[in-house]
Amino acid sequence: VMRRNPFGMDICCRKGSRSPLQELYNPTQVSLSNTAILHQIRRDQVTDTCRANSVSSRKRRVLTPNDLKHLVVDEDHEMIYCYVPKVACTNWKRVMMVLTGRGKYSDPMKIPANEAHVSSNLKTLNQYSIPEINHRLKNYMKFLFVREPFERLVSAYRNKFTQKYNTSFHKRYGTKIVRRQRKNATQEALRKGDDVKFEEFVAYLIDPHTQREEPFNEHWQTVYSLCHPCHIHYDLIGKYETLEEDSNYILQLAGVGNYLKFPTYAKSTRTTDEMTTEFFQNISSEHQTQLYEVYKLDFLMFNYSVPSYLKLE
């Protein structure tokens, strides 16, 4: 028997009530219908971009289970969330743990960040059989959150390469970047890889060798490649810029908005547009152009304009 918590029975047994998908496309509340129009515009933008760039997706490949490992499934509320690192994904994973925990958790912020990233705490779509996957993709409400691509990139760089505690990233990627991008690197830099400059990181990302060698790490992989929006129809596209409203709208659709609010906290370390501008000042226009090409689909698909600080060739 589920322990009584503020969610009571509502969170575990919403059978019989309307699913989030029904509530989204046929809203019963006026407040929900206004927001629905905004999300329709965002969906159309993705569809149009996929169509316009179908040259790249014409070899319409079939998704493999490996492509679905970022899609977190909530059986109880019939929702699927594709998580994108550096776009509030720790908090969204915490919320998903509350939603799927059957009363085990009630406050997302009481869940330690590292616990939110333990893969066994959440079920992903690649763990199901093909018929089960297809059923869920068709009947569950699917959503993801996006962020201005270069702001997300700078955020990933700051987090993974400028923090002393991220030694595993320094060893795994930093040493490789230093070896490949730095002339006359010291033995210490080659061994530790803990002082990667942003210019070197960019050079590594646009290097064709990098692309051939292995897929990008998820922290700087494109949303296009992580969540496959041209193959999977997302019902809701939330934005980092409107994180609170979009998140609480989703929780409302799920029927839990009265009990569960998306956690908010002002982080002074957050990567901003001004900060991103500064980071790009030392990047040559040639490299800026090449980097924009790498992330171009994310810019177009999610309606982010070309940043004013870019000097594109």
Side-chain angles (χ1 to χ4, degrees):
V1 176
M2 199 181 117
R3 275 180 303 132
R4 239 2 237 175
N5 70 347
F7 296 90
M9 294 305 287
D10 299 79
I11 203 155
C12 100
C13 320
R14 49 184 322 284
K15 290 290 160 266
S17 59
R18 289 159 58 83
S19 75
L21 208 53
Q22 292 169 318
E23 199 53 69
L24 171 67
Y25 291 107
N26 300 296
T28 48
Q29 299 172 41
V30 177
S31 61
L32 294 181
S33 57
N34 299 338
T35 316
I37 297 163
L38 165 74
H39 286 278
Q40 178 65 56
I41 294 167
R42 290 182 187 172
R43 279 196 297 278
D44 291 345
Q45 177 77 21
V46 171
T47 308
D48 294 346
T49 308
C50 290
R51 200 171 289 138
N53 294 275
S54 61
V55 196
S56 51
S57 58
R58 190 161 292 150
K59 320 181 274 292
R60 195 175 161 87
R61 63 192 193 81
V62 176
L63 294 180
T64 64
N66 195 41
D67 292 320
L68 305 174
K69 60 178 189 284
H70 273 248
L71 279 79
V72 175
V73 181
D74 172 3
E75 295 284 351
D76 296 331
H77 304 86
E78 301 187 349
M79 298 198 299
I80 294 173
Y81 159 57
C82 184
Y83 70 89
V84 176
K86 307 313 302 169
V87 193
C89 94
T90 305
N91 277 351
W92 255 111
K93 283 181 174 180
R94 285 169 162 145
V95 168
M96 292 301 273
M97 282 171 73
V98 173
L99 289 171
T100 59
R102 307 269 172 123
K104 194 171 160 192
Y105 314 94
S106 58
D107 179 358
M109 290 319 278
K110 290 216 171 89
I111 301 171
N114 58 343
E115 203 172 311
H117 296 294
V118 173
S119 54
S120 57
N121 282 335
L122 290 165
K123 195 159 186 194
T124 47
L125 197 57
N126 59 338
Q127 296 169 328
Y128 293 85
S129 71
I130 304 289
E132 289 172 330
I133 289 172
N134 289 334
H135 171 78
R136 281 158 185 74
L137 284 175
K138 190 173 160 205
N139 296 292
Y140 286 16
M141 184 175 82
K142 300 166 295 299
F143 67 95
L144 77 165
F145 275 79
V146 299
R147 182 178 186 176
E148 202 280 337
F150 285 169
E151 197 179 288
R152 178 178 163 238
L153 193 64
V154 168
S155 175
Y157 166 77
R158 290 178 65 220
N159 179 248
K160 298 304 172 195
F161 294 108
T162 68
Q163 303 291 340
K164 289 293 168 221
Y165 60 80
N166 262 322
T167 46
S168 63
F169 263 81
H170 304 157
K171 281 263 186 293
R172 169 101 173 73
Y173 295 100
T175 52
K176 188 186 290 188
I177 294 171
V178 169
R179 191 172 66 244
R180 210 182 286 167
Q181 307 300 338
R182 189 179 301 176
K183 291 184 174 72
N184 313 322
T186 64
Q187 283 307 308
E188 190 184 19
L190 289 165
R191 192 179 80 251
K192 286 187 169 172
D194 64 351
D195 65 343
V196 170
K197 297 183 182 69
F198 186 64
E199 298 88 285
E200 294 171 328
F201 178 53
V202 168
Y204 161 79
L205 293 174
I206 59 180
D207 183 349
H209 185 77
T210 305
Q211 311 254 8
R212 284 196 299 271
E213 189 175 54
E214 60 182 346
F216 276 1
N217 175 278
E218 60 176 26
H219 291 85
W220 48 86
Q221 180 60 283
T222 60
V223 177
Y224 172 75
S225 303
L226 286 176
C227 295
H228 315 284
C230 289
H231 297 77
I232 293 170
H233 172 81
Y234 286 93
D235 303 290
L236 280 164
I237 294 141
K239 293 202 160 189
Y240 193 72
E241 297 77 11
T242 49
L243 177 63
E244 244 173 284
E245 304 94 288
D246 292 344
S247 298
N248 289 323
Y249 174 57
I250 290 168
L251 296 174
Q252 260 183 296
L253 292 170
V256 298
N258 297 343
Y259 327 96
L260 184 56
K261 290 279 175 277
F262 191 78
T264 56
Y265 54 99
K267 278 187 79 173
S268 52
T269 58
R270 196 171 94 66
T271 301
T272 60
D273 184 46
E274 293 77 48
M275 215 180 272
T276 306
T277 306
E278 261 174 63
F279 272 90
F280 271 86
Q281 271 173 347
N282 299 330
I283 308 295
S284 70
S285 58
E286 184 193 355
H287 280 190
Q288 287 187 5
T289 305
Q290 289 172 287
L291 191 68
Y292 179 75
E293 281 304 314
V294 174
Y295 292 93
K296 186 177 176 181
L297 276 178
D298 280 6
F299 274 101
L300 296 173
M301 202 167 270
F302 307 117
N303 208 17
Y304 288 107
S305 49
V306 176
S308 55
Y309 55 78
L310 282 196
K311 307 180 287 283
L312 297 183
E313 292 194 333

